[in-house]
Amino acid sequence: MPKEYFKNLQDLLHVEREEDLQSYLKLTENTSAADRRALGLTWYPIAIRNTEIGRGDYLTVELERTTHHEFSHQFRFGSSAVLFSNHDAKVDRIDGVITHVGGHKMKISLRIDEMPDWARDGKLGVDLLFDNNSYDEMQLALKQATNLADQPSENKLIKILTKGDKPSFQSEEKFILPNALNASQQLAVNKIVSADHLAIVHGPPGTGKTTTLVQAIKSLVKHSDQKILVVAPSNTAVDLLTEKLAKEGLNVIRVGNPARVSEHLMAATLDHKMADHAEMKNIKTLKKQANEYKNMAHKYKRSFGKAERDQRKALFNEAHKIGKEVEQLEQYIMDNLFNKAQIITATLVGANHYTVRNLTYNTIIIDEAGQALEPACWIPILKAQKVVLAGDHFQLSPTIKSNEAARNGLSKTLLEKSVHLHPEAVVLLNEQYRMNEKIMKYSSQVFYEDQLSAHDSVAHHLLFAEDEALSFIDTAGCSFDEKLDGTSTTNPDEANFLIKHLVKLVEDLAQKKLTNSFPTFAIISPYKQQIQILQRLVKEEEKLFPYQAYISVNTIDSFQGQERDVVYISLTRSNPEGSIGFLADTRRMNVAMTRAKKKLVVVGDGSTLSKSAFYANFIQYAENLGGYHSAWEFVEL
């Protein structure tokens, strides 16, 4: 059965890869560098700032984008990229792998001895290539899992996760460090520590999942000399845990380069730790020597006679020899560092990076497991005897490009499957530290069997004494009709109304001269085009100029894991058919509604939304609290 299980996953992943590749090609084929730049797939123009000998004697090139800094981009550590000349981009190009991205600079490892002549002629750029590496790593892990499933001494963890074999737990109380956790967090730490193979931490919004994991990892490290691997699907989640573990004084190494920049994080990176190693002096000397040989070789042009060509070849061979020596020394340093490390952190795919590929672990912890594609989870799982899944399957699921693959099961995460299969391994964190209880309550009823409670410190907090924690403003009857803008839905009238409401609130708050600092605001919507309208309106509204720094406007997905004092949600849909499209994904709405700490304002057309039980019940919930308002009440705005 596990064999069929993995075969099915391989097939689904194949379908997803094909769909992903087709959409990448559609985006990039026959497009200009400027178009690709706007999509975040290209840096152009760039300047080469430095070249040095990198791993495997390949050339590592440091480059910088010199303009268009305002464009966000999708370049990440480990991605494949191509350096090209826009003079003849089809011919003048070299493939490589990104070894570092930070600010407006990146380093790419290129499989060449020397830079081509065209690299000196300007008009250079770098394109992000299709992410074959991630798919290859996932397929490789599924293949390995299939082979393991074939063996008679089949891996116990595989049996538990795929066949439903029962996980076991140690009965005696052991090695829990003293801490200030609440009862459910303490229970979760106990579960993680006592589990032989599987433990699951279900962490709804604001319940302190990261804090709980850090305490559990500390307890495991304290009483085990075996390494722990901590992974997550996103760099942001990996960075957060790395930082917190480093602050606790644990010896942690971050594989891959972080997206965030902080002192604790930088000190935990492999590059930083290697730079501090005593052997680095020798490596620098050797690299300098190799560079000198290469520079001498470059003086002999290829077009010279045989003697010159031989001389050139001999110099390159010398440089290669030194390169091999450098590689061995670097491997020695890395082995040394990883042996001493208590914890390794990486993304799911990064867990198989060449620096750590052969390491095995006693325990692996997968954070944000509700957002992790199952095939990616098997990359780290095969390296351990015990897995801890932490996340919330009632928040955003992984992004899947292929509807067919999603329909046939790829959208179901390992966390979701394991929660249903092994309730005995699950601990729900049930006390939250973010939201006023009125904001929390509807989400708790719908998604968490009404088991959540708000900690005293937040249960009743408001912007000011007589304020409303939760409001639904009904635009029904206002003729705020939705419009189709390309493939995205917009509602300009609703956007205008929301901004006017926000301006009024901001002005009221400014007059109150609050004792605390000014509150933070998020304006969110599931629709990208609606967000663009809202962003423009916020920028253009003079009355908001002094408060721009406090206001963020973005899609719901970009706010997962974040919080603000006040959250406005523009539901956007308004049509006579009661068609709600995207809004039917109630997990996305769970994320949206649980970002708010002190005030949640939901703006939408009640008559359109009421066709869905989720929204009809929410409107009723708001009414019961006295938080239901018709937009007509605010006409003077």
Side-chain angles (χ1 to χ4, degrees):
M1 185 174 148
K3 199 175 176 185
E4 288 76 63
Y5 182 96
F6 292 117
K7 176 78 179 76
N8 178 48
L9 274 180
Q10 279 177 287
D11 293 344
L12 291 174
L13 190 62
H14 179 69
V15 172
E16 172 67 4
R17 182 183 203 149
E18 278 309 301
E19 181 68 33
D20 197 4
L21 177 59
Q22 290 315 313
S23 51
Y24 169 82
L25 292 174
K26 212 191 260 173
L27 265 184
T28 55
E29 271 183 342
N30 307 318
T31 53
S32 67
D35 288 343
R36 295 195 306 277
R37 178 173 62 204
L39 292 164
L41 302 171
T42 294
W43 280 10
Y44 180 82
I46 56 151
I48 290 174
R49 295 296 180 221
N50 192 18
T51 59
E52 60 185 36
I53 294 175
R55 178 176 175 264
D57 200 24
Y58 296 135
L59 213 55
T60 293
V61 179
E62 185 184 26
L63 46 90
E64 182 176 9
R65 62 169 167 177
T66 48
T67 64
H68 298 86
H69 293 165
E70 72 280 7
F71 285 122
S72 61
H73 66 85
Q74 298 175 41
F75 290 92
R76 300 286 175 268
F77 168 84
S79 302
S80 300
V82 61
L83 180 71
F84 67 88
S85 157
N86 219 23
H87 289 294
D88 190 351
K90 292 242 184 316
V91 178
D92 297 340
R93 49 196 290 120
I94 317 166
D95 289 4
V97 174
I98 297 172
T99 57
H100 189 88
V101 185
H104 301 297
K105 286 187 177 177
M106 76 166 85
K107 288 183 181 180
I108 304 182
S109 172
L110 303 168
R111 292 177 166 240
I112 50 171
D113 273 325
E114 56 184 328
M115 291 300 281
D117 295 341
W118 53 259
R120 287 189 283 279
D121 299 336
K123 290 187 82 170
L124 297 180
V126 59
D127 270 339
L128 188 64
L129 292 176
F130 179 69
D131 187 10
N132 273 310
N133 177 50
S134 293
Y135 284 107
D136 289 345
E137 291 289 9
M138 288 190 269
Q139 285 289 13
L140 178 68
L142 294 175
K143 219 171 176 177
Q144 286 174 336
T146 312
N147 295 339
L148 282 170
D150 260 353
Q151 292 168 14
S153 60
E154 198 187 302
N155 181 308
K156 178 76 175 156
L157 196 46
I158 290 178
K159 280 185 182 172
I160 290 168
L161 293 171
T162 63
K163 283 167 74 173
D165 282 21
K166 288 287 162 235
S168 56
F169 300 87
Q170 301 289 319
S171 50
E172 78 269 18
E173 287 287 313
K174 56 181 195 172
F175 55 81
I176 305 295
L177 297 175
N179 54 54
L181 300 180
N182 68 38
S184 65
Q185 292 171 333
Q186 188 64 36
L187 208 58
V189 173
N190 282 322
K191 185 71 80 176
I192 290 169
V193 166
S194 64
D196 290 320
H197 301 101
L198 174 69
I200 300 167
V201 180
H202 183 186
T207 52
K209 172 175 60 75
T210 307
T211 304
T212 306
L213 291 179
V214 168
Q215 292 305 321
I217 293 165
K218 276 178 76 177
S219 288
L220 288 170
V221 161
K222 179 90 174 148
H223 294 267
S224 161
D225 57 351
Q226 299 196 1
K227 277 186 211 343
I228 295 168
L229 173 65
V230 179
V231 286
S234 72
N235 273 302
T236 316
V238 177
D239 289 351
L240 180 65
L241 273 161
T242 306
E243 205 169 350
K244 293 204 178 246
L245 291 164
K247 277 182 183 165
E248 293 285 346
L250 296 165
N251 185 347
V252 55
I253 298 182
R254 164 74 155 103
V255 173
N257 81 284
R260 290 169 42 190
V261 180
S262 81
E263 200 183 325
H264 282 286
L265 207 47
M266 287 305 152
T269 59
L270 181 58
D271 286 351
H272 190 282
K273 286 180 187 275
M274 284 182 77
D276 280 354
H277 199 278
E279 277 295 334
M280 255 345 243
K281 237 189 195 146
N282 290 342
I283 287 179
K284 274 186 181 152
T285 309
L286 287 167
K287 278 189 175 179
K288 200 173 165 193
Q289 216 175 330
N291 267 328
E292 280 164 11
Y293 280 126
K294 283 197 171 182
N295 289 336
M296 283 158 69
H298 292 153
K299 288 180 184 144
Y300 295 98
K301 293 281 181 239
R302 291 186 183 92
S303 54
F304 286 3
K306 185 181 181 310
E308 283 86 355
R309 283 201 303 275
D310 288 348
Q311 187 60 29
R312 175 187 164 93
K313 197 177 169 198
L315 287 163
F316 269 128
N317 284 343
E318 245 353 276
H320 274 296
K321 249 190 243 165
I322 296 171
K324 285 272 169 273
E325 206 179 324
V326 166
E327 204 179 329
Q328 284 168 352
L329 265 174
E330 284 183 337
Q331 194 57 55
Y332 163 76
I333 295 174
M334 283 190 287
D335 291 346
N336 191 274
L337 289 168
F338 286 127
N339 281 337
K340 288 180 187 160
Q342 297 164 306
I343 303 148
I344 314 289
T345 64
T347 57
L348 294 162
V349 174
N352 217 26
H353 189 251
Y354 79 90
T355 53
V356 288
R357 184 162 285 155
N358 301 319
L359 294 180
T360 54
Y361 309 87
N362 180 44
T363 304
I364 68 150
I365 291 168
I366 303 180
D367 191 19
E368 300 294 5
Q371 277 191 285
L373 211 54
E374 182 178 350
C377 291
W378 286 100
I379 298 170
I381 288 172
L382 296 177
K383 300 173 183 291
Q385 300 147 32
K386 166 169 157 178
V387 63
V388 178
L389 298 172
D392 182 9
H393 49 293
F394 295 123
Q395 291 187 62
L396 291 176
S397 48
T399 306
I400 292 171
K401 300 267 170 51
S402 160
N403 291 332
E404 183 195 336
R407 245 194 341 269
N408 292 325
L410 194 62
S411 60
K412 203 160 194 191
T413 60
L414 191 61
L415 174 70
E416 209 173 334
K417 290 178 186 176
S418 302
V419 164
H420 295 303
L421 206 53
H422 301 299
E424 70 281 7
V426 182
V427 174
L428 173 77
L429 302 180
N430 59 18
E431 190 169 12
Q432 67 83 21
Y433 297 83
R434 175 184 297 159
M435 296 162 266
N436 179 296
E437 61 186 4
K438 288 177 179 171
I439 298 172
M440 170 203 78
K441 193 74 175 154
Y442 185 66
S443 176
S444 178
Q445 286 169 358
V446 175
F447 297 99
Y448 308 107
E449 298 172 349
D450 210 10
Q451 291 188 57
L452 300 190
S453 65
H455 186 259
D456 291 344
S457 61
V458 300
H460 306 291
H461 66 181
L462 295 163
L463 290 174
F464 50 89
E466 63 282 13
D467 192 32
E468 231 171 42
L470 181 140
S471 320
F472 175 75
I473 303 177
D474 193 347
T475 64
C478 293
S479 300
F480 290 180
D481 298 331
E482 66 180 64
K483 294 172 173 49
L484 195 61
D485 186 346
T487 53
S488 188
T489 305
T490 64
N491 194 325
D493 292 329
E494 180 179 292
N496 273 307
F497 172 82
L498 186 150
I499 297 302
K500 282 178 181 167
H501 191 279
L502 169 68
V503 167
K504 176 85 169 67
L505 176 61
V506 165
E507 286 178 336
D508 288 352
L509 291 170
Q511 279 179 341
K512 286 190 186 304
K513 296 191 172 51
L514 303 171
T515 46
N516 301 331
S517 59
F518 204 77
T520 54
F521 296 79
I523 304 171
I524 55 185
S525 170
Y527 294 97
K528 277 188 182 150
Q529 302 295 113
Q530 181 74 347
I531 286 301
Q532 285 175 9
I533 293 172
L534 287 159
Q535 282 171 334
R536 195 190 71 241
L537 291 171
V538 167
K539 247 186 212 140
E540 291 170 358
E541 176 52 70
E542 286 180 30
K543 290 173 181 170
L544 294 178
F545 285 176
Y547 307 100
Q548 297 277 356
Y550 300 98
I551 303 169
S552 314
V553 189
N554 218 325
T555 57
I556 295 169
D557 299 38
S558 67
F559 274 104
Q560 171 136 338
Q562 296 189 49
E563 58 187 30
R564 297 290 188 277
D565 294 316
V566 184
V567 170
Y568 275 84
I569 305 175
S570 171
L571 293 178
T572 311
R573 301 308 296 247
S574 175
N575 56 69
E577 301 77 40
S579 162
I580 61 167
F582 234 19
L583 298 185
D585 182 354
T586 55
R587 294 202 285 200
R588 185 172 264 108
M589 287 318 296
N590 183 34
V591 171
M593 291 171 171
T594 54
R595 301 306 95 205
K597 293 159 74 173
K598 298 176 180 178
K599 187 177 184 68
L600 173 66
V601 182
V602 182
V603 182
D605 181 334
S607 67
T608 299
L609 297 164
S610 293
K611 306 281 193 298
S612 148
F614 176 85
Y615 294 100
N617 293 338
F618 174 71
I619 294 167
Q620 187 58 58
Y621 173 77
E623 206 164 341
N624 295 344
L625 288 178
Y628 174 88
H629 303 279
S630 164
W632 289 104
E633 292 176 35
F634 304 96
V635 281
E636 76 280 2
L637 293 178

